[in-house]
């Protein structure tokens, strides 16, 4: 069948001429593009979220890598969340994966022939050049991805016990919330304030974070939605200017909240946008500097290791005794003496007779 083989976790309508196309992701590692008018024929396009092409290109560049190494490094990213926004680019898709990373996919459709599809970047992916640092990604599936409405390059992801803020320029997160005692289940940016986002938790609480007024260390407001069931999703109404928030619960109920004015309306929107932009730029530059210093330290360690190996080899060469011609002559003398001592008796007697005859001849 031309469809997903695992449950579909996210669906988004996409920009198209007919207005009938949408995209879906599943934990089977496939992203599918559909046309609502032709659902019976299956997806009109699909792509496997796999790093196989990247691994093969790396193996071609390095002679030391074999086909077996390429096969073992092959990873299929199972999709658990999806984000698509036309203001960030009509061809860009963000897929949160069950591996704790975010896959950036770009698809350019063509009238005639196959569309161009490729994985542009995997956020949070640890490689040998990064020192295989697993702290760069979430420790569990990413249940929510959301782009900032005022700064589309800034991405909010929710997974494990924290929420992370990313930028399109870096593979590593630039900001993170504190570790919570309960699992986080969903998150979304506010459509009316650039520094506010909402996070739901497994213990039934909703956290409202305000980076402009409250800072990065604790939420501005926390409310208990459910005493018995975990919260599963949160959405903010853009039509009401962010005034109303809908929260889904594990028991199937939906709670509608009306926010106070300070949480959905900024006293000076331009000043807040400028401050949040400067905050993200500062954290981006800090993370770039940190990653550059880590890379320089790893390169210095490699160079030091090479120098130490070369020095050890040089010392080993110096420790070996050098060959001397005098030693060779001594060995030759020892060998000849050994031959003389171990000659057969008959040969020794013959030599003595020959020597005696030679002496008699000299006397005559």
């Amino acid at each position: 069948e031309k469809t997903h083989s695992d449950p579909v976790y996210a669906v988004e309508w996409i920009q198209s001429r007919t207005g009938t196309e949408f995209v879906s992701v599943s934990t089977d590692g496939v992203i599918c593009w559909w046309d609502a008018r032709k659902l019976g024929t299956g997806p009109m396009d699909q792509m496997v979220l796999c790093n196989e092409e990247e691994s093969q290109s790396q193996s071609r560049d390095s002679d030391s890598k074999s086909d077996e190494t390429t096969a073992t490094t092959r990873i299929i990213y199972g999709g658990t969340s999806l984000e698509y926004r036309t203001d960030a680019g009509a061809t860009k898709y963000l897929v949160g994966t069950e591996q704790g990373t975010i896959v950036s996919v770009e698809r350019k459709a063509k009238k005639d022939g196959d569309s161009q599809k490729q994985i542009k970047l995997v956020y949070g992916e640890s490689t040998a050049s990064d020192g295989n640092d697993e702290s760069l990604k979430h420790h569990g599936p990413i249940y929510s991805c959301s782009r900032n409405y005022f700064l589309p390059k800034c991405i909010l992801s929710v997974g494990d016990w924290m929420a992370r803020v990313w930028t399109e320029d870096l593979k590593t997160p630039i900001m993170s919330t504190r570790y919570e005692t309960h699992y986080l289940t969903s998150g979304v940016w506010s459509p009316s304030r650039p520094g506010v986002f909402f996070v739901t938790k497994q213990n039934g609480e909703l956290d409202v974070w305000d980076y402009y007024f409250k800072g990065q260390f604790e939420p501005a407001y926390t409310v208990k939605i459910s005493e018995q069931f975990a919260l599963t999703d949160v959405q903010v109404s853009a039509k009401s200017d962010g005034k109303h928030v809908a929260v889904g619960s594990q028991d199937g109920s939906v709670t509608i909240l009306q926010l106070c004015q300070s949480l959905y309306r900024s006293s000076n929107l331009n000043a807040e946008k400028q401050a949040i932009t400067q905050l993200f730029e500062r954290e981006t530059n800090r993370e770039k500097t940190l990653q550059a210093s880590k890379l320089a330290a790893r390169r210095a360690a490699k160079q030091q290791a090479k120098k130490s190996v070369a020095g050890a080899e040089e010392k080993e060469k110096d420790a070996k005794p050098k060959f001397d011609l005098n030693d060779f002559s001594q060995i030759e003398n020892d060998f000849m003496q050994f031959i003389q001592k171990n000659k057969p008796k008959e040969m020794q007697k013959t030599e003595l007779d020959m020597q005696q005859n030679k002496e008699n001849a000299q006397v005559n």
Side-chain angles (χ1 to χ4, degrees):
E1 295 181 0
K2 297 180 179 180
T3 182
H4 291 287
S5 58
D6 277 2
V8 175
Y9 281 85
V11 176
E12 291 282 350
W13 290 100
I14 63 176
Q15 186 180 42
S16 62
R17 294 182 178 179
T18 59
T20 58
E21 296 181 6
F22 61 94
V23 61
S24 63
V25 294
S26 169
T27 50
D28 60 0
V30 180
I31 178 172
C32 296
W33 288 267
W34 306 77
D35 191 335
R37 302 169 300 174
K38 305 175 183 178
L39 293 178
T41 59
M44 61 181 184
D45 198 2
Q46 61 183 6
M47 174 186 178
V48 178
L49 300 175
C50 177
N51 68 338
E52 186 176 9
E53 295 181 358
E54 182 179 356
S55 299
Q56 289 179 351
S57 63
Q58 291 177 357
S59 63
R60 286 193 296 266
D61 295 338
S62 177
D63 296 333
S64 61
K65 290 188 178 180
S66 63
D67 294 336
E68 294 181 359
T69 304
T70 303
T72 54
T73 56
R74 185 173 184 267
I75 300 175
I76 295 180
Y77 300 102
T80 53
S81 58
L82 177 65
E83 171 72 345
Y84 175 81
R85 288 258 301 276
T86 54
D87 55 347
T91 61
K92 295 181 179 181
Y93 305 84
L94 291 176
V95 181
T97 69
E98 58 185 353
Q99 285 85 359
T101 58
I102 302 175
V103 180
S104 176
V105 179
E106 184 173 359
R107 174 182 178 265
K108 296 181 179 179
K110 290 184 177 180
K111 294 181 179 179
D112 300 327
D114 296 334
S115 60
Q116 294 181 352
K117 305 178 292 294
Q118 62 176 334
I119 294 179
K120 298 292 290 184
L121 195 64
V122 180
Y123 299 97
E125 183 183 39
S126 59
T127 59
S129 60
D130 299 327
N132 293 321
D133 189 359
E134 294 293 330
S135 64
L136 302 178
K137 63 178 184 178
H138 286 281
H139 306 300
I142 295 179
Y143 293 112
S144 181
C145 286
S146 176
R147 288 185 182 271
N148 192 296
Y149 286 88
F150 298 86
L151 305 168
K153 285 189 175 182
C154 295
I155 306 162
L156 173 70
S157 66
V158 173
D160 56 62
W161 300 271
M162 67 164 53
R164 296 178 184 265
V165 178
W166 312 71
T167 180
E168 285 187 347
D169 302 331
L170 286 175
K171 291 174 61 177
T172 57
I174 60 174
M175 300 175 69
S176 300
T177 62
R178 65 187 184 186
Y179 271 98
E180 300 288 347
T181 56
H182 295 83
Y183 220 71
L184 305 187
T185 56
S186 180
V188 66
W189 287 101
S190 170
S192 57
R193 287 192 54 197
V196 174
F197 61 90
F198 305 84
V199 174
T200 58
K201 295 189 289 187
Q202 206 170 33
N203 62 345
E205 291 181 350
L206 172 70
D207 287 342
V208 184
W209 289 81
D210 190 341
Y211 277 174
Y212 184 59
F213 285 110
K214 190 66 175 179
Q216 310 173 30
F217 303 105
E218 59 180 355
Y221 181 69
T222 299
V223 57
K224 190 77 170 179
I225 303 296
S226 177
E227 295 289 343
Q228 299 178 350
F229 300 98
L231 304 183
T232 56
D233 195 15
V234 57
Q235 295 294 330
V236 184
S237 174
K239 293 183 178 180
S240 63
D241 295 330
K243 183 178 181 180
H244 297 106
V245 178
V247 181
S249 180
Q250 199 173 33
D251 63 342
S253 63
V254 178
T255 304
I256 306 297
L257 303 177
Q258 180 175 326
L259 302 177
C260 62
Q261 186 173 349
S262 60
L263 288 178
Y264 73 89
R265 184 175 298 172
S266 178
S267 57
N268 191 337
L269 185 59
N270 292 330
E272 180 176 351
K273 182 179 179 181
Q274 184 178 2
I276 296 300
T277 302
Q278 293 175 354
L279 172 64
F280 290 158
E281 289 179 351
R282 182 176 68 249
E283 293 299 324
T284 301
N285 294 331
R286 179 190 63 82
E287 188 64 28
K288 287 181 178 179
T289 304
L290 181 61
Q291 294 301 319
S293 63
K294 287 183 178 180
L295 181 60
R298 285 192 293 269
R299 287 178 177 175
K302 288 182 180 180
Q303 292 294 333
Q304 185 65 28
K306 290 181 180 179
K307 289 182 180 179
S308 61
V309 171
E313 293 177 352
E314 192 68 26
K315 287 182 180 179
E316 186 178 355
K317 290 180 181 179
D318 295 339
K320 292 181 179 180
K322 295 183 179 180
F323 182 77
D324 193 358
L325 291 176
N326 296 327
D327 296 338
F328 181 77
S329 61
Q330 182 65 33
I331 292 173
E332 185 179 8
N333 293 332
D334 294 341
F335 177 73
M336 296 305 297
Q337 290 178 5
F338 176 79
I339 294 297
Q340 292 294 333
K341 289 180 181 180
N342 294 277
K343 280 183 178 181
K345 293 182 178 180
E346 295 180 358
M347 187 177 292
Q348 291 180 0
K349 185 178 180 181
T350 304
E351 288 183 355
L352 288 174
D353 293 340
M354 291 177 63
Q355 187 175 4
Q356 188 174 4
N357 294 333
K358 194 174 183 181
E359 288 177 356
N360 293 335
Q362 290 178 355
V363 170
N364 295 331

